[in-house]
């Protein structure tokens, strides 16, 4: 007759070495995937923070460049109108001063001619001293007006030259506008690139999903390995013969 069996008595014990190794291997694989998942989650958090900061900075830069371009465009239009009107006014003033100079020159010649004739008539005793002196005064006044007209011509000429020089300012402003347009395009391209980089965030999310699925697989493998290890030792569940 066999010996009686007590509940909890060891019935079977299999060599556990291989099963212990399998469990250790499964647990190591689980921990490795878990570490990768934690690192991926931290990387995603950093990516989200960095992405938001980069987008805000890139958008602010685009807005700032566009604002400068708008101001420069307005300044260019005003500078062009100012330069154009200035040149037209200066040209008209210069032409008017030349016309007045010619008129004053004619007046000088006429006054000098009258004075020369008056001097001859005075010498001949035909006119009085008062009349001769009047022509002298008229000649002096004509000469003064002529000198004033010459000065007006020089001033008008200088203003005309200055108005022509203002075109250089227009050219410089136009170059500035061209430069700012290029900078706006550059910052817009950088902003679009930052938006494109947002796709990296989606890739990181997908990797996290894969790692989460992988972690569940490894968790199941650990549970299976632990069960196999537990099954290497069998105890009697009840008392018996």
């Amino acid at each position: 007759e066999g010996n009686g069996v007590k509940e909890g008595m060891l019935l079977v014990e299999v060599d556990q070495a291989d099963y212990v190794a399998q469990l250790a291997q499964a647990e190591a694989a689980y921990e490795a995937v878990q570490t990768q998942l934690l690192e991926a989650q931290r990387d995603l958090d950093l990516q989200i923070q960095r992405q938001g900061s980069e987008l805000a900075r890139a958008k602010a830069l685009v807005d700032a460049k566009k604002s400068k371009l708008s101001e420069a465009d307005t300044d260019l239009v005003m500078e062009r109108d100012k330069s154009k009107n200035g040149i037209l006014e200066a040209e008209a003033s210069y032409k008017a001063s030349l016309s007045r100079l010619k008129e004053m020159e004619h007046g000088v010649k006429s006054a000098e001619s009258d004075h020369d004739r008056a001097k001859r008539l005075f010498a001949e005793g035909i006119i009085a001293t008062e009349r001769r002196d009047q022509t002298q005064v008229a000649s002096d006044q004509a000469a003064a007006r002529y000198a004033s007209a010459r000065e007006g011509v020089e001033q008008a000429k200088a203003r005309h030259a200055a108005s022509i020089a203002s075109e250089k300012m227009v050219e410089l402003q136009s170059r500035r506008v061209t430069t700012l347009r290029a900078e706006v395009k550059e910052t817009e391209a950088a902003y679009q690139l930052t938006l494109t980089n947002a796709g990296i965030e989606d890739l990181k999310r997908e990797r996290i999903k894969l790692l989460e699925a992988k972690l569940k697989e490894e968790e199941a493998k650990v549970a299976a390995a632990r069960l196999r290890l537990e099954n290497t030792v069998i105890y009697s569940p009840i008392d018996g013969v």
Side-chain angles (χ1 to χ4, degrees):
E1 293 183 1
N3 295 327
V5 177
K6 298 292 185 179
E7 180 182 353
M9 181 181 293
L10 177 65
L11 299 178
V12 179
E13 183 175 8
V14 180
D15 185 7
Q16 296 180 339
D18 290 343
Y19 297 98
V20 170
Q22 290 174 9
L23 177 59
Q25 184 177 3
E27 288 176 339
Y30 174 83
E31 291 175 358
V33 174
Q34 188 178 46
T35 299
Q36 291 178 6
L37 177 59
L38 291 174
E39 291 177 350
Q41 288 172 334
R42 284 195 296 268
D43 187 37
L44 175 60
D45 290 340
L46 290 174
Q47 175 68 26
I48 292 173
Q49 294 176 5
R50 184 169 57 249
Q51 187 72 23
S53 176
E54 289 177 353
L55 278 173
R57 184 167 55 253
K59 183 65 168 58
L61 187 57
V62 169
D63 291 342
K65 291 294 184 181
K66 283 185 174 180
S67 177
K68 285 186 178 180
L69 176 59
S70 178
E71 291 177 2
D73 270 330
T74 301
D75 290 344
L76 178 58
V77 171
M78 294 178 63
E79 197 68 38
R80 278 176 175 166
D81 290 343
K82 180 180 178 181
S83 176
K84 182 180 178 181
N85 293 334
I87 290 174
L88 292 175
E89 290 175 3
E91 287 179 347
S93 177
Y94 182 57
K95 290 179 180 179
S97 67
L98 288 175
S99 177
R100 183 170 184 276
L101 180 64
K102 184 175 290 186
E103 181 182 343
M104 293 303 102
E105 183 179 9
H106 176 73
V108 167
K109 291 179 180 179
S110 178
E112 288 178 346
S113 177
D114 289 345
H115 182 53
D116 290 340
R117 184 159 55 92
K119 286 191 295 184
R120 289 194 303 271
L121 293 174
F122 175 76
E124 295 174 1
I126 299 175
I127 62 173
T129 302
E130 183 181 356
R131 176 57 184 158
R132 182 201 62 183
D133 292 344
Q134 288 175 348
T135 59
Q136 177 66 59
V137 171
S139 178
D140 292 342
Q141 290 176 341
R145 287 193 294 270
Y146 178 76
S148 177
R150 282 185 62 83
E151 183 178 351
V153 168
E154 293 301 319
Q155 291 175 351
K157 185 177 181 181
R159 286 194 297 271
H160 184 261
S163 67
I164 295 298
S166 68
E167 290 186 323
K168 292 294 183 181
M169 294 299 296
V170 173
E171 183 180 350
L172 291 175
Q173 184 66 16
S174 179
R175 289 179 181 176
R176 181 169 181 267
V177 168
T178 299
T179 299
L180 285 173
R181 282 203 179 101
E183 290 178 358
V184 166
K185 288 183 179 180
E186 183 178 342
T187 53
E188 285 179 334
Y191 178 67
Q192 290 300 320
L193 180 60
T194 305
L195 288 176
T196 301
N197 289 340
I200 296 176
E201 181 180 324
D202 294 333
L203 293 176
K204 292 181 184 294
R205 291 184 186 278
E206 287 299 321
R207 183 168 184 268
I208 286 176
K209 289 181 180 179
L210 292 175
L211 286 172
E212 287 174 340
K214 181 66 175 176
L215 187 64
K216 289 182 179 180
E217 291 179 7
E218 297 301 331
E219 185 178 14
K221 290 179 181 180
V222 168
R226 184 174 288 114
L227 181 61
R228 286 194 297 271
L229 178 60
E230 291 174 354
N231 290 337
T232 59
V233 179
I234 301 176
Y235 296 93
S236 175
I238 60 173
D239 294 335
V241 179

